[in-house]
Amino acid sequence: SDLLKEICDKSNAKVVISSSWRGSESHTPKIYYILREILKNNGICVVGDTPHLSTEFEDITERNEHHLKNKFGTGRAAEIQKWIEEHDVNNFVILDDEDFDWSDYGYENNWIQPTWVGNGGLKKEHVDKAIKILKGE
């Protein structure tokens, strides 16, 4: 949380939660409230959550390989797009260990990918990159 706070302090950024920890429209798990409490206790300003847009998948074939892909307009990236469209957002970063087809929305340069395995998590290089993006540098 110190590194996330550094991003917020140095770039005047606010946090919007898009994590699966927020649950669904009908159920918010206890872990979400714990997350909000930890962020609040560390002086990190959370201004809201992205909306819930059900994920639909489509089967894509590229170079003779089949794989499932989020249908455009559904899922995590679409939720972020909707939030950005509804709020006055200049610069933003997406901190996510997983690629939710960010490039389909033109967000590949806003995406920072910390890992959550081994010696993972947010690192100083992620912080520096995030601050640059948020300051429009």
Side-chain angles (χ1 to χ4, degrees):
S1 63
D2 287 350
L3 292 174
L4 182 58
K5 182 154 176 38
E6 184 182 341
I7 293 171
C8 295
D9 289 350
K10 288 186 176 172
S11 66
N12 203 23
K14 312 277 188 289
V15 172
V16 177
I17 297 174
S18 70
S19 169
S20 56
W21 287 12
R22 68 203 157 94
S24 65
E25 279 180 296
S26 58
H27 173 72
T28 305
K30 189 175 176 185
I31 189 85
Y32 170 82
Y33 297 108
I34 294 168
L35 172 64
R36 288 291 296 251
E37 193 66 21
I38 290 168
L39 293 172
K40 183 179 164 202
N41 290 343
N42 285 279
I44 294 166
C45 179
V46 177
V47 293
D49 308 303
T50 55
H52 291 279
L53 297 175
S54 297
T55 303
E56 295 172 38
F57 296 100
E58 53 190 351
D59 195 6
I60 303 287
T61 305
E62 290 175 331
R63 296 179 295 280
N64 293 327
E65 284 184 29
H66 288 287
H67 63 273
L68 284 179
K69 184 177 164 87
N70 284 349
K71 190 173 174 192
F72 192 82
T74 77
R76 184 76 55 88
E79 292 170 344
I80 290 173
Q81 181 184 51
K82 190 168 182 1
W83 203 93
I84 286 169
E85 285 173 355
E86 291 172 357
H87 298 80
D88 188 20
V89 176
N90 295 324
N91 298 315
F92 66 96
V93 293
I94 298 165
L95 299 173
D96 205 309
D97 60 327
E98 206 174 325
D99 184 358
F100 287 96
D101 303 317
W102 304 121
S103 61
D104 289 359
Y105 294 79
Y107 297 164
E108 62 276 7
N109 295 327
N110 303 86
W111 176 42
I112 295 173
Q113 186 179 22
T115 60
W116 300 109
V117 293
N119 182 26
L122 202 56
K123 304 271 188 227
K124 184 70 175 130
E125 63 264 23
H126 300 132
V127 170
D128 296 342
K129 183 177 177 188
I131 292 166
K132 273 198 165 95
I133 294 168
L134 291 165
K135 287 182 161 185
E137 292 173 4

